[in-house]
Amino acid sequence: RYKMCCEMFSALNENIIVSDFERQFAKNNNVETVFTYEMLKEFEKTIDCKVNIITTTETFCEIYDWHNGIDMLHEFKYFIIKDKNSDWLKFSSYVAELQNMINDKYYELNNMQYELVPCDDVIINVSSTKLRELFKNIYKVVIYNKPIIPYYTNDNVIKYILNNYIYDNLR
């Protein structure tokens, strides 16, 4: 993932830095599974900063179910990108139900911070989950020796995946 992110963002903007902090965190803690909450808390402590999370409406709606998801919702500020693909009804329903879900866990929602960033002219397609599924389901389907993959990433990442047999085990 780290190398794919480097491929994805290297041409985007020179001010974007792809960090391998997650890999270093796993190595330093001798763990294979890195939970997002713990890693971000360690990042804040190590770098002496406050983490804000930029995410999509789709991913934001999944955070509650993550390991320490409730704590994540309380402790980080979210900038939620509302693009053309956003399921606005699902997002609105989720936010309305979130208070009830969190109250069931004896938490209060009053310190959750999020801000919607309207990007109606933008379509966000980047998704490692969608890429894995596409490679799993259509790996052998090619036209002119190129896989049929919608725009979930850029050509550099697709070449990296193919050249390094990243999802070869899904065939």
Side-chain angles (χ1 to χ4, degrees):
R1 257 191 203 181
Y2 171 75
K3 290 188 179 190
M4 287 189 281
C5 285
C6 288
E7 290 291 336
M8 181 72 184
F9 294 106
S10 64
L12 194 58
N13 184 312
E14 64 185 36
N15 294 319
I16 296 175
I17 299 169
V18 179
S19 170
D20 68 345
F21 188 86
E22 184 175 1
R23 183 175 20 175
Q24 293 303 317
F25 178 82
K27 184 179 176 183
N28 294 343
N29 291 284
N30 198 28
V31 294
E32 287 187 30
T33 301
V34 175
F35 292 108
T36 303
Y37 174 76
E38 285 81 6
M39 189 269 305
L40 291 176
K41 293 304 286 180
E42 184 65 24
F43 184 84
E44 286 183 330
K45 190 169 83 178
T46 302
I47 306 299
D48 190 27
C49 67
K50 182 67 181 144
V51 168
N52 294 313
I53 298 174
I54 301 170
T55 188
T56 61
T57 56
E58 178 185 42
T59 300
F60 183 77
C61 291
E62 298 170 355
I63 293 173
Y64 177 84
D65 294 323
W66 293 4
H67 177 78
N68 287 21
I70 294 172
D71 294 322
M72 284 189 67
L73 290 169
H74 280 273
E75 295 182 36
F76 300 107
K77 180 174 182 177
Y78 294 85
F79 292 91
I80 304 167
I81 306 298
K82 182 186 173 291
D83 72 336
K84 281 187 174 184
N85 289 337
S86 295
D87 185 339
W88 190 240
L89 183 59
K90 179 180 176 183
F91 176 78
S92 300
S93 298
Y94 171 78
V95 171
E97 291 296 320
L98 196 53
Q99 181 66 59
N100 293 332
M101 293 187 292
I102 290 177
N103 282 342
D104 290 344
K105 301 280 185 181
Y106 308 104
Y107 282 85
E108 289 185 24
L109 189 59
N110 57 6
N111 65 342
M112 187 177 84
Q113 298 177 42
Y114 71 91
E115 185 176 317
L116 290 176
V117 180
C119 295
D120 294 331
D121 294 337
V122 174
I123 297 175
I124 299 174
N125 292 321
V126 176
S127 169
S128 59
T129 302
K130 289 176 183 174
L131 275 175
R132 279 191 302 276
E133 285 301 310
L134 285 167
F135 273 93
K136 179 179 177 182
N137 294 324
I138 63 170
Y139 197 93
K140 295 178 183 177
V141 178
V142 294
I143 294 178
Y144 304 112
N145 295 323
K146 291 185 178 182
I148 301 171
I149 300 175
Y151 298 100
Y152 289 112
T153 188
N154 67 22
D155 287 344
N156 291 340
V157 175
I158 292 171
K159 287 176 191 171
Y160 181 84
I161 290 168
L162 293 171
N163 292 338
N164 293 283
Y165 307 101
I166 302 296
Y167 299 124
D168 223 31
N169 62 328
L170 297 177
R171 286 192 282 165

